[in-house]
Amino acid sequence: MTRIAIYPGSFDPVTRGHEDIIRRSLRFVDRLVVAAAAQPTKKPLFSVEERIELLQTVLKGVAGVEIRSFDGLLANFADTVGAEIVVRGLRAVSDFEYEFQMALMNRKLKHELETVFLVPALHLTFLSSSLVREVAGFGGDVSELVDPAVDAALRVKLGG
Ligand code: PNS
């Protein structure tokens, strides 16, 4: 049986933290669909096409990964790609409430959908796309927190 999981997010932009969760997921799934929400709750800095392109660059050559964008409900998209597992990274207690709500809502929408939480490497637990955007926006150095392609894209976008 092929085990398919979906790793959804805004990926605005993809960080080393996301990369870490993707690599950890590939230890126990056969195929991981990295799914970028076309319309995330907050207005994104990067368009969905840009976010997908950055994911493709960063994950080039990583076997078992498929990169897609999705519109609408995650539970429906999980059906479309045949995924029964949702992977989410859990960095801190502050993430928990939102993640817990989301996992239960997704289960309500699609009963067989199991959410699996993965803990990132310790040195990446403080990292989020929003912090990366903020620091880069003020001209701070994020080169250790994102792939060089993402660093370059941030400079172009933010004029750094
Ligand atoms: O990286 P993020 O912003 O924390 O990702 C949130 C995301 C995109 C996974 C979540 O907002 C989502 O699944 N959106 C799709 C719409 C949906 O299904 N909403 C109900 C989930 S409870």
Side-chain angles (χ1 to χ4, degrees):
M1 188 185 99
T2 309
R3 183 164 286 168
I4 305 170
I6 188 162
Y7 179 38
S10 304
F11 303 106
D12 184 37
V14 57
T15 68
R16 292 292 191 207
H18 296 124
E19 290 176 52
D20 180 67
I21 296 293
I22 289 165
R23 283 174 210 282
R24 285 175 200 279
S25 305
L26 288 169
R27 292 189 192 147
F28 64 91
V29 303
D30 304 299
R31 189 155 76 87
L32 183 70
V33 180
V34 177
Q39 290 143 348
T41 38
K42 283 170 269 164
K43 190 180 159 23
L45 175 66
F46 291 98
S47 70
V48 68
E49 292 79 16
E50 290 168 330
R51 287 180 278 133
I52 292 283
E53 203 178 309
L54 287 172
L55 279 164
Q56 279 165 347
T57 304
V58 167
L59 298 171
K60 197 169 181 210
V62 181
V65 172
E66 185 188 331
I67 297 155
R68 301 274 296 264
S69 66
F70 76 104
D71 260 319
L73 287 175
L74 173 66
N76 292 344
F77 188 64
D79 249 353
T80 307
V81 295
E84 291 196 338
I85 302 169
V86 177
V87 171
R88 291 284 288 174
L90 208 53
R91 293 161 302 188
V93 180
S94 52
D95 280 347
F96 184 75
E97 196 173 337
Y98 171 60
E99 294 297 336
F100 191 65
Q101 275 184 325
M102 215 158 63
L104 288 174
M105 181 56 82
N106 282 329
R107 181 183 288 163
K108 172 116 188 93
L109 294 168
K110 180 172 155 68
H111 186 67
E112 323 76 70
L113 205 53
E114 284 301 341
T115 300
V116 172
F117 295 111
L118 296 182
V119 176
L122 187 60
H123 71 283
L124 298 170
T125 47
F126 68 96
L127 185 53
S128 69
S129 296
S130 56
L131 260 185
V132 163
R133 289 195 305 271
E134 183 174 331
V135 172
F138 286 114
D141 181 6
V142 294
S143 59
E144 284 181 19
L145 311 178
V146 296
D147 183 273
V150 177
D151 193 21
L154 280 163
R155 282 170 206 276
V156 169
K157 187 66 89 175
L158 300 167

